[in-house]
Amino acid sequence: MEPRRIEESCSRCKDRCCARCFDDGEESIFDCLTPDELELLVKEKRHVHFKAGETILKQNTSASHVVCVKRGLAKIISEGDGDKRLILRLVATHSILTGGGIFIDEIRHFTVQAVTEVDCCFIDSDKIFELVSRNNQFAFELLKLNNRQNIQMLNNLVGITQKYMPGRVADLLLYLKNEIFLCNPFDTRLSRQELADMTGMTMESFIRILKEFKSSGIIVVDGPNIHVIDEDALQLISRKG
Amino acid sequence: MEPRRIEESCSRCKDRCCARCFDDGEESIFDCLTPDELELLVKEKRHVHFKAGETILKQNTSASHVVCVKRGLAKIISEGDGDKRLILRLVATHSILTGGGIFIDEIRHFTVQAVTEVDCCFIDSDKIFELVSRNNQFAFELLKLNNRQNIQMLNNLVGITQKYMPGRVADLLLYLKNEIFLCNPFDTRLSRQELADMTGMTMESFIRILKEFKSSGIIVVDGPNIHVIDEDALQLISRKG
DNA sequence: TTTTATAGTTGATATTTATCAATTGGTGGA
DNA sequence: TCCACCAATTGATAAATATCAACTATAAAA
């Protein structure tokens, strides 16, 4: 499994970002566009750089843009009342953020924040609307993307609702290893608080479970670096609840 | 507010179901279809009747059809291991079920079960795919539908994760009153177990919260009938967590 | 009507998880 | 170097929620 290069920029991104960025193995929703349509898409895009910790998109602001992440790691956060918050998922290099509800209320339903340095480009939602009505394949790809996020959220909902803490932590570790970093060990670049916020539990509880896993020999932990030793055990814990 | 007529069939449904069913106030994703396309859609549809309790769609089976609910009330259930289950939402007369992931893996990610008698029609997914590639407006409408479900699931996830039980029960009652039955009092037609399954808590806990609300004079309960007396109080409880 | 099954309700108790407080350990600056 | 600060960790305790068992009400069946 090829590790994902979080900090490394795509060599093809220099010029036609969002067009050529995504054709190195990972398929992109932009693959189906004609050169003309591609031109339309990238013509007025704006490239923006964010430092770690900066807010890329803010919940409850109007969703006028779609964002392509070219480099770096960001977290998607649902901000509740008080200091309640839930990290819904991570987005890494080569991801597209259509925002929460660009097709409904044009309001962002979550905040996106840079975990590492992030390079991305902002594209007008209008362009996306235009492409949807021009190119059916593109609409299809967007539907797929939407659908996938829907299913992920469903699994998240069921997991967080029905599993005890060890199961949720196991799920998180498997997610980080197999869907985000694609390597082992991996450097989460996330604090304990942030990891806890991905499981809907308190930092203290998260640390305790991690400690259990450590002393059972399932994982080796060194600060933000986690090495999964016994993935089968994690799978088992995940299933058992 | 016009109450929703759960058991009452749409007078226009006799013949061209899914075409004319949805044009009585509620907009339909089929409104944008041309007569030709409508013809394609309804030509080979099959009308199916379900008795209360019957399974309309089963989780983990292949998603070859889209279902339009013409009459009745159904519940969408995520079935976990053991007897764990979570009712994700209800669907009433005039709803469309695109299934969990028709655009991804063609697998259903949840079960749909009739609560009352349900009349619905089954339409081949292929027709939907064909319409998506023919009619951009239709693709757009599907994107909207998908988006809306996404946001609802997000709110659900955040609510269930971050609120204490009274907040979740308050949310459920407001959902039932304002989004499903559109009247007050309303007959849920659901058992306490089912109501509890919508909040991710046990039946006993659900009953206790309901009792609290009852003795505070916020609601009046008579079996499956619930009368919301003080909606502001519910809103407050919902926000407080 | 009586019986029987089942949903709903209540109380006592156990488990899970959060909260609060204290301690450790590292890191950048004075 | 030492201090100040903040993340990480640990322990003690409290709060939220689930589990288990009993009991009641209700409705269907004999």
Side-chain angles (χ1 to χ4, degrees):
Chain A
M1 189 164 54
E2 193 64 20
R4 195 195 293 265
R5 310 250 173 245
I6 301 286
E7 276 86 1
E8 212 167 275
S9 191
C10 162
S11 59
R12 277 161 288 200
C13 285
K14 303 265 155 56
D15 192 34
R16 322 202 99 222
C17 134
C18 296
R20 292 285 153 262
C21 276
F22 298 106
D23 65 356
D24 56 342
E26 301 202 46
E27 75 239 14
S28 152
I29 63 168
F30 299 121
D31 288 347
C32 59
L33 299 181
T34 66
D36 266 16
E37 290 165 348
L38 226 44
E39 187 59 33
L40 173 75
L41 186 74
V42 302
K43 202 167 56 184
E44 286 162 22
K45 75 176 169 61
R46 278 176 303 132
H47 180 150
V48 188
H49 176 91
F50 291 94
K51 286 195 277 287
E54 282 189 304
T55 297
I56 299 174
L57 303 175
K58 180 69 181 175
Q59 185 171 323
N60 297 327
T61 62
S62 87
S64 51
H65 291 84
V66 167
V67 174
C68 301
V69 179
K70 292 168 62 180
R71 189 173 74 92
L73 185 69
K75 54 183 175 175
I76 297 187
I77 312 168
S78 165
E79 302 187 78
D81 290 337
D83 45 359
K84 303 234 179 210
R85 81 212 97 107
L86 185 69
I87 297 183
L88 299 167
R89 61 178 196 274
L90 301 176
V91 287
T93 305
H94 294 181
S95 294
I96 293 121
L97 286 167
T98 55
I102 55 166
F103 294 103
I104 309 290
D105 49 10
E106 306 230 332
I107 297 276
R108 300 196 190 286
H109 293 258
F110 44 70
T111 287
V112 180
Q113 215 170 20
V115 173
T116 64
E117 294 212 337
V118 171
D119 277 305
C120 52
C121 57
F122 280 63
I123 297 175
D124 253 320
S125 305
D126 290 343
K127 308 257 172 150
I128 301 294
F129 296 151
E130 166 128 23
L131 289 177
V132 166
S133 55
R134 268 210 216 174
N135 183 327
N136 306 89
Q137 187 58 35
F138 182 69
F140 207 84
E141 294 300 326
L142 266 182
L143 275 166
K144 272 197 208 168
L145 181 67
N146 235 300
N147 232 226
R148 213 163 348 198
Q149 287 170 1
N150 227 311
I151 292 170
Q152 203 217 338
M153 194 113 73
L154 171 61
N155 289 334
N156 223 227
L157 176 61
V158 172
I160 290 189
T161 318
Q162 306 194 332
K163 291 182 185 182
Y164 293 131
M165 297 197 297
R168 288 191 260 159
V169 174
D171 281 341
L172 174 64
L173 296 176
L174 293 169
Y175 170 71
L176 293 176
K177 173 179 171 298
N178 298 326
E179 295 183 51
I180 297 299
F181 298 109
L182 311 177
C183 65
N184 191 26
F186 49 90
D187 174 0
T188 65
R189 299 166 182 82
L190 296 164
S191 69
R192 296 295 133 111
Q193 184 62 62
E194 289 173 310
L195 291 170
D197 283 342
M198 298 191 73
T199 61
M201 45 201 253
T202 60
M203 182 180 61
E204 292 94 327
S205 294
F206 178 82
I207 287 173
R208 276 181 249 267
I209 306 291
L210 214 60
K211 190 178 155 195
E212 271 180 43
F213 286 4
K214 238 182 331 191
S215 51
S216 314
I218 297 174
I219 56 173
V220 170
V221 178
D222 171 31
N225 295 292
I226 297 179
H227 190 175
V228 173
I229 305 295
D230 189 350
E231 179 156 349
D232 289 345
L234 286 184
Q235 299 279 8
L236 191 71
I237 292 166
S238 161
R239 244 173 292 120
K240 260 201 339 180
Chain B
M1 188 165 53
E2 192 65 19
R4 196 195 292 265
R5 310 251 173 244
I6 302 287
E7 276 86 3
E8 212 168 276
S9 190
C10 163
S11 60
R12 277 162 286 200
C13 284
K14 301 267 154 54
D15 192 32
R16 322 202 98 223
C17 135
C18 296
R20 293 285 153 262
C21 277
F22 299 107
D23 66 356
D24 56 342
E26 301 204 42
E27 76 240 13
S28 153
I29 63 167
F30 299 121
D31 288 347
C32 59
L33 299 180
T34 66
D36 267 16
E37 290 165 347
L38 226 44
E39 187 58 33
L40 172 76
L41 185 74
V42 302
K43 202 168 54 186
E44 287 163 22
K45 76 175 167 62
R46 278 176 303 133
H47 181 151
V48 189
H49 176 89
F50 292 94
K51 284 195 280 288
E54 284 189 304
T55 297
I56 299 174
L57 303 175
K58 180 69 181 175
Q59 186 170 323
N60 297 326
T61 61
S62 88
S64 51
H65 291 85
V66 166
V67 174
C68 301
V69 179
K70 292 168 62 181
R71 190 174 73 93
L73 185 71
K75 53 184 174 175
I76 296 187
I77 312 168
S78 165
E79 302 187 76
D81 290 335
D83 46 0
K84 304 235 179 207
R85 83 213 96 106
L86 185 69
I87 297 182
L88 299 168
R89 61 178 196 274
L90 301 176
V91 287
T93 306
H94 294 180
S95 294
I96 292 121
L97 287 166
T98 55
I102 55 166
F103 292 104
I104 310 288
D105 49 11
E106 305 230 333
I107 297 277
R108 300 196 191 285
H109 292 259
F110 44 69
T111 288
V112 181
Q113 215 169 20
V115 173
T116 63
E117 294 212 339
V118 171
D119 277 304
C120 51
C121 57
F122 280 63
I123 297 175
D124 253 319
S125 305
D126 290 343
K127 308 256 173 154
I128 301 295
F129 296 150
E130 166 129 21
L131 289 177
V132 166
S133 54
R134 267 209 215 175
N135 184 327
N136 306 92
Q137 187 57 36
F138 183 68
F140 207 83
E141 294 299 327
L142 266 182
L143 273 166
K144 272 198 211 168
L145 182 67
N146 234 301
N147 231 227
R148 214 164 346 201
Q149 287 170 2
N150 229 313
I151 292 170
Q152 203 217 337
M153 193 113 72
L154 171 62
N155 289 334
N156 222 227
L157 176 61
V158 173
I160 290 189
T161 317
Q162 308 194 331
K163 289 183 185 180
Y164 294 130
M165 297 197 297
R168 289 190 259 157
V169 174
D171 281 340
L172 173 64
L173 296 176
L174 292 169
Y175 169 72
L176 293 175
K177 172 178 172 300
N178 298 326
E179 296 182 49
I180 297 298
F181 298 109
L182 311 177
C183 64
N184 192 24
F186 49 90
D187 173 0
T188 64
R189 298 164 181 85
L190 296 164
S191 69
R192 296 293 134 113
Q193 183 63 61
E194 288 172 310
L195 291 170
D197 284 342
M198 297 191 74
T199 62
M201 46 203 252
T202 59
M203 182 181 61
E204 291 94 327
S205 294
F206 178 82
I207 287 172
R208 276 181 248 267
I209 306 292
L210 213 60
K211 191 178 155 197
E212 271 179 44
F213 286 4
K214 238 183 327 189
S215 51
S216 313
I218 298 174
I219 55 173
V220 171
V221 179
D222 171 32
N225 294 294
I226 298 179
H227 191 173
V228 173
I229 303 295
D230 188 350
E231 179 156 349
D232 289 344
L234 287 183
Q235 300 279 7
L236 192 70
I237 292 167
S238 162
R239 245 173 292 118
K240 262 202 336 184

